[in-house]
């Protein structure tokens, strides 16, 4: 498991990288405490961007927007919502009870992948979650080239994500089969 953050003082942004590749309760609790500590140690007026492989689990690879937020990720998003609202939060399977009234930063948005398709949604508290397509939607076959074929669903997708906090918008610039879009903060 690897979870960590990188601070960018010039942007006043903490990039919070999370792991989900475990089913070990002790490791999930450890990451939960790390998340809380990372939120509470963020400086006044800073932005937090959470990056994880999975925020959404599809129930159909042909229609990846059909699905739901997995339990663990739903709990993480609930912590982010409580933090942004400066609320007290009861304990859960992966987090101890917390009082976020002294929080100083804001979780602005989350970035992820996993479903190999573009899909954007928000947490219950309104935090945007941006899902990027990356490579094909599970349609690769043994022997396919890594980069895919230009103009087809096998083509790679790359994104530039630009946060404009002054105008409360996120620009997602898609390259390859990635689509460009704008999301309100």
């Amino acid at each position: 498991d690897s979870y960590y953050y990188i601070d960018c003082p010039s942007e006043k942004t903490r990039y919070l990288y999370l792991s989900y590749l475990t089913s070990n309760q002790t490791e999930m609790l450890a990451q939960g405490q790390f998340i809380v500590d990372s939120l509470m140690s963020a400086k006044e007026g800073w932005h937090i961007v959470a990056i994880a492989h999975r925020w959404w689990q599809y129930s159909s690879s042909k229609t990846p927007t059909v699905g739901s937020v997995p339990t663990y990720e739903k709990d993480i998003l609930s912590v982010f919502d409580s933090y942004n609202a400066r609320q007290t939060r009861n304990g859960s399977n992966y987090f101890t009870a917390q009082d976020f009234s002294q929080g100083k930063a804001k979780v602005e948005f989350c970035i992820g992948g996993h479903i190999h398709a573009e899909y954007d949604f928000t947490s219950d508290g309104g935090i945007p979650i941006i899902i990027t397509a990356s490579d094909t939607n599970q349609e690769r076959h043994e022997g396919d080239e890594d980069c895919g074929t230009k103009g087809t669903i096998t083509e790679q997708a790359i994104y530039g994500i630009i946060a404009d906090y002054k105008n409360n918008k996120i620009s997602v610039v898609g390259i390859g089969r990635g689509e460009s879009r704008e999301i309100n903060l």
Side-chain angles (χ1 to χ4, degrees):
D1 288 338
S2 57
Y3 47 88
Y4 55 94
Y5 65 79
I6 297 174
D7 284 344
C8 182
S10 63
E11 297 176 359
K12 293 187 176 181
T13 301
R14 172 165 288 176
Y15 296 96
L16 181 61
Y17 296 87
L18 304 178
S19 174
Y20 86 101
L21 298 173
T22 184
S23 59
N24 181 297
Q25 181 73 15
T26 302
E27 291 174 14
M28 293 168 116
L29 286 167
Q31 179 174 246
Q33 189 59 53
F34 170 79
I35 290 169
V36 169
D37 293 344
S38 298
L39 295 174
M40 294 306 290
S41 66
K43 297 176 184 175
E44 181 77 38
W46 274 48
H47 313 282
I48 298 170
V49 176
I51 302 159
H53 175 83
R54 179 181 78 175
W55 292 109
W56 186 259
Q57 179 63 47
Y58 56 80
S59 56
S60 164
S61 63
K62 295 197 182 303
T63 312
T65 57
V66 176
S68 62
V69 179
T71 303
Y72 185 46
E73 288 77 2
K74 190 170 191 68
D75 210 14
I76 293 170
L77 293 173
S78 175
V79 167
F80 291 165
D81 288 337
S82 294
Y83 176 79
N84 280 357
R86 305 298 188 251
Q87 296 174 334
T88 299
R89 184 178 186 280
N90 293 329
S92 64
N93 287 336
Y94 311 109
F95 293 90
T96 59
Q98 297 296 323
D99 175 5
F100 292 121
S101 63
Q102 301 302 311
K104 298 176 183 173
K106 180 181 179 189
V107 178
E108 299 284 358
F109 60 98
C110 303
I111 303 170
H114 185 65
I115 65 172
H116 297 258
E118 296 170 333
Y119 184 59
D120 304 319
F121 65 102
T122 62
S123 68
D124 291 342
I127 298 170
I129 295 106
I130 301 166
I131 306 297
T132 60
S134 184
D135 61 1
T136 68
N137 182 19
Q138 307 293 330
E139 295 190 28
R140 288 225 190 272
H141 303 285
E142 190 173 328
D144 284 353
E145 293 183 20
D146 288 341
C147 63
T149 303
K150 186 175 181 179
T152 71
I153 62 167
T154 66
E155 183 180 15
Q156 284 287 70
I158 299 170
Y159 300 85
I161 299 175
I162 304 160
D164 180 351
Y165 300 119
K166 183 178 177 183
N167 293 307
N168 293 316
K169 68 179 181 175
I170 304 164
S171 296
V172 179
V173 180
I175 302 167
R177 73 179 182 92
E179 293 291 324
S180 295
R181 56 206 192 269
E182 194 168 276
I183 300 162
N184 292 325
L185 280 170

